[in-house]
Amino acid sequence: MIKPEKTINGTKWIETIQINAEERATLEDQYGIDEDIIEYVTDNDESTNYVHDINEDDQLFIFLAPYALDKDALRYITQPFGMLLHKGVLFTFNQSDIPEVNTALYSALDNPEVKSVDAFILETLFTVVDSFIPISRAITKKRNYLDKMLNRKTKNSDLVSLSYLQQTLTFLSSAVQTNLSELDRLPKTHFGVGADQDKIDLFEDVQIEGEQVQRMFEIETQVVDRIDHTFNSLANNNLNDTMKFLTIWSLTMAVPTIITGFYGMNVKLPLAGMQYAWMLTLGISVALIVAMLIMLKVWRKM
């Protein structure tokens, strides 16, 4: 979808969301955007990047934003969005229709302090970077809940939730790191050449916010990994206790089986002719079982 033209202090802004083949052709024919650029900026597998075409004087920005697969389960991945400065016109590409990107764009548009396209781009990036923080806080809340479950019986649903957290943290941590690397590089590119003090301040604000978000996700990743390690240790310990109980129980049951097996043979055996021979075999079995348990206790196997 190509939305109606808007202006940012005299500069045209063309907003696109989930464009189809016909709309791609419109961008090529009406605005003269190269087909390769459209393919590049709408590729959902692209990573963070900044490209300056010296010949056309075009500038292309690609950044990663959080994309919710299941908000309730905290399942997130990241998807790219693009901004293109082409012949004095700003084009934005949100091929995955990411809500956080739409919010960031209109927040920058409504900001009275945004008085240039460059400021609009940086304010948008700032808000997108800031959109990672609520997710980090939700992860912290979920992580605290799972941490409390360590003192209780662990359920399979808790393990699934922990796995979702680890997957989400992997995607978001990687995206935050690549975004921050590109934000650190932007002031040294054509986009940062000749920047005035206001633009320099915006660069610093976005970088500081990116560093803060990166630290938040680094801490969450470490803590969630520790919880996962503890879960695994508890599961292994419980399994060892179960196997220990079953082993002792099987050894205990093996003793009477051996004794009764001998006296069940169709041959003459000592004391087999006694009237209460069965009580004797029962007593021998109990005595051997007690002796075996005492030995296991002494050898610290119990």
Side-chain angles (χ1 to χ4, degrees), residues 45 161 189 218 230 237 265 268 279:
D45 295 323
S161 297
T189 64
E218 284 177 352
T230 304
N237 187 59
M265 293 187 295
K268 290 184 177 182
M279 294 184 64

Side-chain angles (χ1 to χ4, degrees), residues 256-274:
T257 301
I258 295 172
I259 301 300
T260 56
F262 274 112
Y263 279 88
M265 293 187 295
N266 192 22
V267 296
K268 290 184 177 182
L269 293 169
L271 308 176
M274 293 179 59

Side-chain angles (χ1 to χ4, degrees), residues 66-68 71 94 96-105:
Y67 183 79
K71 284 189 176 181
N94 187 6
S96 298
D97 194 13
I98 307 169
E100 288 79 4
V101 173
N102 295 328
T103 300
L105 290 170

Side-chain angles (χ1 to χ4, degrees), residues 2-16 89-90 92 105-106 109 120:
I2 300 178
K3 292 193 173 184
E5 292 184 3
K6 304 176 186 63
T7 58
I8 305 169
N9 291 316
T11 301
K12 289 184 179 180
W13 170 30
I14 309 297
E15 181 186 9
T16 72
V89 179
L90 175 66
T92 60
L105 290 170
Y106 283 93
L109 182 65
F120 177 86

Side-chain angles (χ1 to χ4, degrees), residues 110-125:
D110 295 335
N111 190 339
E113 296 182 0
V114 173
K115 299 179 181 180
S116 66
V117 174
D118 290 354
F120 177 86
I121 293 172
L122 290 174
E123 283 291 341
T124 299
L125 295 181

